[in-house]
Amino acid sequence: MRRQLAAFACTIWLCLTATAHGTDRLIPLDVAGLRAELSALEGRVVLINFWATWCRPCLEEIPTLMQLQTKLQDNGFSLVAVSLDDAASVETRVKPFMNKQFPGFTSYLSIERDMDSMTSVIDPAWNGILPTSYLLARDGSVAERLQGIYSAEEFSEKILALSK
Amino acid sequence: MNTITMLGWPHTLLICLLALCSTALADGQRISDAGRRAVSPEIAVGVDGAINVIWLDKGMTADRPPPKPHKHGEHSHRSWTDLYFTRSEDGGKTWRTPVMINEQPGEIWGFSVSKPRIEVGPGGTLHVFYPANDRSAAIGMDIVSARYRRSTDQGKSFSAPITINSPSGKDRSDVLGEGLAMANSFGTMGVAPDGTIITAWQNVLDMQNSGDGADGIVAVSTDDGVSFSAERIVLPGNDVCPCCQLTLAFNDDTIYMGFRKIFDKWRDSVIARSTDGGNSFSVGGRLDLAPWELQGCPLKPTELGSDGERLYASTYTGGEDPAGLYFTVSGDGGKTFAGKQQVHPAAAYADAPALTVDPQGIVRLVWHAKLGGPHRLFTALSVDQGASLSTPVEIATPEGKSTYPATAVATDGTVYVAWQQANEEVFITTLLPPASMADQ
């Protein structure tokens, strides 16, 4: 029953985000929103990726993330990308940048005061490094913290191992 | 030679107690305006004892976050940050009303790990160095410039800004995010004992491959900031980690620059040194920390301090096991380091070190750390030329998150600590020197 409810919530979430993505691929998110997001995604393997436009390695990794999302979405996998750019610059910096560089990429944008507030939802001891990704198992627990650039093959191997 | 040598454990215990006592003597006080978003402070104390503090101002708290409409084709700043200044001439009892000191509103590009810098020259001139939002006249694109202002009237007024970096006319938006064509950023400034001003920053003008970093650039002023030399590439090779702010330290005849160097897939703290007034630097020692494999942005400066003989360094590293904040010492002018110590083993996460060395040679570290709750500030002392570090002691600050401390030491050994408090406010407190505590 719990799993069915989770699947239903996930379906609703996917519909809502798909609608939102249709008009805006950069969605404001606060701590409560991230918690709700993760709760809705229980039952799926989730990769949460924290990135920023000023982090060059993060930008190098985005095509890989987009590839994973396409390739593994039918394997019970969801990608949650969260930009830690300053929310004040959303209109002038982040949106124009995404539109130009990654027109197919959908991400949340943290509207918290600082980066640590958002990452602490997942990892209270986050060490300030970007990109940082967290691989969440189906029960919502953090299976692994991944810092720096990872290849599509490395990500896929870890995701598929948790998807079994 | 410093006066304190070869200390036994009773003295070390005493120092721990003194560190504890000194933090309990002074309450932190807010020095930024209520209702404004104030972050990332920096601090400088001159020989006159006056305390000078700058910070980034992000507008009114009520307007947070302040997205601004962007008209098509309109020039847009890459941040909405201003630089504020205040000063106390009575040991921190009273403070001037904070004032904005950048010329153009929204001019400052900066954040907690790429802060603007303030220093005081031997004659009392205030020097301010900051990354500025700018527009390239040559290519009509947004850039970040390395900019400087000074004050010769104790901060009542500041000179017209000088853009120190040379115009490049190149578009490197292919390697920079945010649509910037060029960024002269993650820089620092220091003033040598003879008054020479060293400004240093990074740019990615010559970056070639995806794994490349930045070059390290220096410009020097020998006339108290009236003019600066042409920029010089002193750290060539595109291997300076481009998201780790540069640092400087001085003794009588040597300038030390701390940076994080890209060694293939590792990003490790390295010292460069100059013995010709900043005209050239030679890359010397790598800190005695295990190599840190990371293809990402560490955002970790290498904090430095010198007592004239030894060079002290502190930085976070993920290479060591356990990862964390470490402290180490060089006795040969930064060529080699030894005696690494984890600063705060009990912390879940410790970072953002600020290091001072007082006239007695006492080293004080201040940093932020998490021990199961929000970030708090901690301090520790070394009274034996870095051979040991006292047990971390929490600094009394208001409840909530206290982060990104900046420190400066006065001639009497008093250390002033400015930091960013939870609700985006800048606070300051005083840590008395151990010697004065022992006298009481």
Side-chain angles (χ1 to χ4, degrees), chain B residues 152-328:
Chain B
T152 55
D153 57 7
Q154 296 81 48
K156 297 182 182 72
S157 65
F158 284 81
S159 63
I162 301 173
T163 295
I164 299 178
N165 60 279
S166 306
S168 78
K170 286 189 180 177
D171 174 10
R172 293 312 313 264
S173 56
D174 57 324
V175 295
L176 287 163
E178 313 177 64
L180 290 167
M182 179 49 59
N184 298 281
S185 55
F186 287 94
T188 192
M189 174 182 62
V191 180
D194 68 357
T196 299
I197 306 165
I198 309 294
T199 58
W201 65 93
Q202 307 180 23
N203 76 35
V204 294
L205 203 59
D206 297 323
M207 188 182 280
Q208 303 293 327
N209 304 310
S210 62
D212 283 351
D215 286 337
I217 318 291
V218 160
V220 175
S221 172
T222 55
D223 56 10
D224 204 31
V226 174
S227 64
F228 281 81
S229 69
E231 68 173 38
R232 287 187 285 271
I233 300 176
V234 296
L235 300 175
N238 305 313
D239 57 9
V240 177
C241 176
C243 49
C244 297
Q245 188 165 17
L246 302 174
T247 55
L248 290 168
F250 300 85
N251 67 21
D252 286 341
D253 56 6
T254 306
I255 303 165
Y256 301 103
M257 189 188 304
F259 68 105
R260 198 169 286 277
K261 185 172 177 177
I262 300 173
F263 296 92
D264 191 11
K265 56 186 177 182
W266 298 278
R267 299 199 176 208
D268 295 328
S269 290
V270 167
I271 304 301
R273 42 184 276 145
S274 170
T275 55
D276 59 4
N279 287 312
S280 63
F281 282 78
S282 59
V283 177
R286 191 171 177 169
L287 270 57
D288 56 330
L289 302 173
W292 185 7
E293 183 176 343
L294 176 71
Q295 290 178 288
C297 289
L299 302 166
K300 311 295 182 202
T302 304
E303 178 72 352
L304 299 179
S306 173
D307 63 5
E309 293 184 22
R310 282 155 295 274
L311 181 66
Y312 303 99
S314 182
T315 190
Y316 176 94
T317 178
E320 288 288 332
D321 186 11
L325 181 63
Y326 282 78
F327 171 73
T328 186

Side-chain angles (χ1 to χ4, degrees), chain A:
Chain A
M1 181 63 180
R2 187 166 173 267
R3 187 168 288 271
Q4 285 174 322
L5 281 173
F8 177 71
C10 185
T11 304
I12 296 292
W13 173 83
L14 287 170
C15 291
L16 288 173
T17 52
T19 304
H21 299 172
T23 56
D24 195 345
R25 292 174 301 99
L26 194 61
I27 306 154
L29 185 74
D30 60 10
V31 163
L34 180 57
R35 289 202 174 102
E37 188 75 31
L38 298 180
S39 179
L41 287 171
E42 272 196 33
R44 297 177 70 83
V45 175
V46 177
L47 185 71
I48 304 174
N49 174 263
F50 292 103
W51 67 284
T53 56
W54 44 261
C55 164
R56 188 164 168 254
C58 300
L59 305 182
E60 288 181 32
E61 195 173 57
I62 285 176
T64 298
L65 300 175
M66 295 170 71
Q67 187 183 335
L68 288 173
Q69 194 169 30
T70 304
K71 184 179 162 190
L72 299 176
Q73 62 183 351
D74 294 335
N75 292 63
F77 167 73
S78 291
L79 171 70
V80 177
V82 182
S83 163
L84 298 179
D85 284 286
D86 188 345
S89 62
V90 59
E91 294 295 334
T92 57
R93 181 169 60 187
V94 189
K95 275 186 184 174
F97 177 80
M98 280 184 63
N99 288 337
K100 182 179 177 186
Q101 300 294 332
F102 303 110
F105 187 53
T106 298
S107 175
Y108 290 100
L109 173 75
S110 171
I111 57 171
E112 293 295 338
R113 283 195 181 90
D114 53 45
M115 297 193 290
D116 182 73
S117 297
M118 184 59 85
T119 56
S120 289
V121 171
I122 316 294
D123 179 7
W126 179 59
N127 55 10
I129 292 163
L130 289 178
T132 294
S133 297
Y134 296 91
L135 197 53
L136 272 56
R138 290 184 188 277
D139 64 359
S141 63
V142 176
E144 195 168 359
R145 178 170 80 173
L146 305 163
Q147 297 198 302
I149 300 174
Y150 282 75
S151 67
E153 291 71 28
E154 289 170 319
F155 274 131
S156 293
E157 188 179 330
K158 294 173 186 295
I159 291 164
L160 291 174
L162 286 173
S163 298
K164 289 174 184 171

Side-chain angles (χ1 to χ4, degrees), chain B residues 334-364:
Chain B
K335 293 173 189 158
T336 61
F337 284 81
K340 64 185 175 188
Q341 303 167 59
Q342 190 182 6
V343 173
H344 201 164
Y349 171 54
D351 200 356
L355 193 158
T356 54
V357 185
D358 78 10
Q360 301 302 313
I362 295 172
V363 180
R364 185 183 280 279

